[in-house]
Amino acid sequence: MTPRRVGAMFKAAADGAGVPATFHALRHTFAVAMLRFLQREAQTHPDLNPLLALQVLMGHADLATTAIYLRVVATDLSIIESSVDDLYAALL
């Protein structure tokens, strides 16, 4: 299955549910939430490098691509976390 096919399937599901969403936005949301989680985990596991772990999870060849998410997390974590919490609560 290709990434393009996964994106098309996600779009069809989102359209069918009447939800304005893209696979890219879902991937971005996952990356930001996972980076924050990995940063918290690194506090008790000093051998964990959150950015390198996220790079592997995202499949990025270049660490600079993954580093973009650092800027998002650094902007305002409380806004991001509350937005994700609100989105999750709305889905339940």
Side-chain angles (χ1 to χ4, degrees):
M1 186 173 300
T2 66
R4 184 178 298 241
R5 179 69 185 132
V6 172
M9 291 169 58
F10 182 83
K11 180 172 176 20
D15 290 349
V19 177
T22 65
F23 189 71
H24 180 77
L26 177 67
R27 181 176 161 85
H28 186 76
T29 301
F30 166 79
V32 171
M34 181 56 71
L35 181 56
R36 183 65 188 126
F37 170 78
L38 291 167
Q39 287 175 328
R40 286 192 302 265
E41 285 295 304
Q43 293 173 359
T44 56
H45 300 91
D47 56 327
L48 175 65
N49 183 320
L51 198 56
L52 290 177
L54 185 63
Q55 179 186 14
V56 171
L57 290 170
M58 299 299 291
H60 293 156
D62 188 350
L63 189 60
T65 303
T66 311
I68 291 168
Y69 297 110
L70 285 174
R71 285 180 269 165
V72 175
V73 170
T75 51
D76 190 345
L77 289 176
S78 62
I79 292 172
I80 295 167
E81 288 175 344
S82 67
S83 297
V84 171
D85 289 344
D86 290 347
L87 177 61
Y88 183 71
L91 294 174
L92 297 177

